[in-house]
Amino acid sequence: MKICRSIAEMRAQMAAFRNADHSVGLVTTMGALHAGHMALVKSAVQAHSRVVATIFVNPTQFGDPSDLDNYPRTEEADLTMLRDAGVAAVFIPDAGDMYPDGDETIVETTGLANMLHGLVRPGHFRGVATVVTKLFNIVQADAAYFGEKDFQQLAVIRRLVRDLHMPIQIVGVPTVREADGLAMSSRNVRLTAPDRAAAIVLNQALSRAEMLAAEGAQVDILNQAIRDTITAEPRATLMAVDIVIADTFEPATGPVTQTIGIMISAQFGAGDNQVLLIDQREIHP
Ligand code: AMP
C-alpha cells in the first residue's frame, strides 16, 4: 500500500493506476477508522481494481476549535486496517497543502448547505463541499463512496457533483451499527461510559418513528415521537430532527407516501467531553 503525503505523490500514483487501465474507487475519511468506514472500503474494493483512501481531518468543516483539537487521530491503526482491506494507496495531506497560502475559493451548495442540519452547524457543509471538491480534483477517481449515516452530506455531494458536472459516480453505503444499535462514529470513543449507554436513544427514536410510520402515522407524529424519546433521556440534548422527502430534500409532511429520510442530531456530555452525534434512517411507504 502506497502512502502519499503530498499532492504530487498522489497524482503520480494515480497516473500509474491510469496507465495500467485500472478503475479507481475513492473513500474519503477523517481517520479514526471503524467498521463503518471499512464498509465503504469493502464496497469500493468489490467494484474497482484499485482503491484510494484519504485521511484528512478537515479544519474548515469544524465550527468549534475544541471539537477539531479533540477529534481522535489513530494513523498507525488506520493504515493497518486499510492495508488489510486491500487499499492500494492512502492520501494523507497536510492542511497547508490542501489550503495553500492565500486560498480563497470555496464550494457551497447554497440551499442544501444552509437548511436542516446545516442550520445547527453553520459553515459545516461548505467546508465539506470544498474539501471533497479538492480531493476529487487531486485523486480523479471513477467513483467515490460515502456513508448514508451522513445523510445530508451525501445529498450535498450528489448535488455538487451534478451541478459542477464532475466526472465521478457517487455511491451511498448503508449505516453500520454497534450491536446495541448505536451508529458507528469516530466520535463514539469520546463518550463517557454513561453517555455511551445513553447514546442508543438516537437509534431507539428512529425505530419508534419507523414503527409509527408502519402503522400509518403522519410525519408530525413521527417528529414528535422522536423529540419525546430523546428529551426523555436526560444525558442527551436534542439539536435537530429533520424529516425530508429522500429524493428532493423537501420537508416531508402528512402521511408517508414516498421514501422519507429522518435525520437526528443530539449532543452528549459537557465541556471537553461534549460530543455531537448524528443518526439517520430512510423509511419507505
Ligand atoms: P468521517 O471519517 O466521519 O468523515 O466519515 C468518512 C466516511 O465514512 C463518510 O462517508 C461517512 O458517512 C462514512 N461513515 C462514517 N460512519 C459510518 C457508519 N457508521 N456507517 C457507514 N458509513 C459511515
Side-chain angles (χ1 to χ4, degrees):
M1 185 175 74
K2 172 87 177 160
I3 296 171
C4 306
R5 293 190 187 268
S6 72
I7 294 170
E9 275 177 293
M10 186 67 245
R11 287 197 194 281
Q13 184 59 62
M14 275 306 291
F17 291 157
R18 290 297 183 206
N19 284 339
D21 272 342
H22 285 299
S23 141
V24 179
L26 172 66
V27 177
T28 61
T29 81
M30 298 204 297
L33 301 182
H34 50 66
H37 298 110
M38 299 322 287
L40 309 189
V41 170
K42 198 170 166 193
S43 299
V45 164
Q46 280 166 359
H48 303 275
S49 53
R50 290 292 181 272
V51 170
V52 174
T54 69
I55 300 175
F56 180 58
V57 183
N58 173 37
T60 65
Q61 71 190 68
F62 286 81
D64 171 4
S66 82
D67 189 25
L68 173 62
D69 290 345
N70 290 322
Y71 199 83
R73 287 163 173 87
T74 58
E75 190 181 297
E76 277 314 305
D78 293 348
L79 292 176
T80 303
M81 287 167 80
L82 295 172
R83 195 176 288 117
D84 291 350
V87 166
V90 186
F91 181 43
I92 312 178
D94 264 5
D97 286 342
M98 291 298 279
Y99 296 97
D101 281 349
D103 175 280
E104 58 173 313
T105 306
I106 55 170
V107 180
E108 185 170 43
T109 53
T110 51
L112 257 184
N114 299 307
M115 63 197 276
L116 311 171
H117 271 47
L119 295 173
V120 285
R121 302 183 72 186
H124 171 71
F125 289 118
R126 180 197 303 146
V128 169
T130 302
V131 79
V132 165
T133 301
K134 288 172 187 265
L135 291 170
F136 284 1
N137 282 337
I138 294 164
V139 177
Q140 300 191 11
D142 297 289
Y145 292 73
F146 290 89
E148 288 174 358
K149 181 181 79 105
D150 299 281
F151 200 65
Q152 191 166 350
Q153 168 175 288
L154 179 56
V156 162
I157 289 161
R158 286 193 198 283
R159 189 141 320 168
L160 88 90
V161 163
R162 186 200 69 174
D163 292 354
L164 298 181
H165 311 289
M166 292 180 172
I168 187 164
Q169 182 200 351
I170 303 302
V171 183
V173 178
T175 302
V176 178
R177 297 178 181 279
E178 301 285 357
D180 65 2
L182 176 66
M184 288 193 182
S185 163
S186 305
R187 296 171 196 270
N188 291 352
V189 296
R190 297 195 39 235
L191 293 164
T192 62
D195 287 337
R196 166 65 187 82
I200 59 169
V201 73
L202 272 71
N203 183 50
Q204 285 171 341
L206 290 167
S207 297
R208 188 156 167 222
E210 190 168 15
M211 259 170 47
L212 287 167
E215 290 164 8
Q218 309 226 347
V219 165
D220 54 345
I221 303 289
L222 311 188
N223 196 318
Q224 195 55 51
I226 290 168
R227 286 173 191 280
D228 291 347
T229 306
I230 293 183
T231 48
E233 170 49 67
R235 292 188 162 273
T237 306
L238 181 63
M239 301 300 286
V241 181
D242 294 312
I243 306 185
V244 297
I245 297 165
D247 279 348
T248 61
F249 254 70
E250 300 292 321
T253 52
V256 180
T257 54
Q258 307 175 63
T259 300
I260 57 171
I262 305 182
M263 300 173 271
I264 309 181
S265 66
Q267 202 143 272
F268 293 81
D272 253 14
N273 283 327
Q274 205 168 65
V275 183
L276 180 73
L277 297 183
I278 64 173
D279 205 348
Q280 145 283 337
R281 188 158 312 174
E282 272 187 277
I283 293 178
H284 307 284

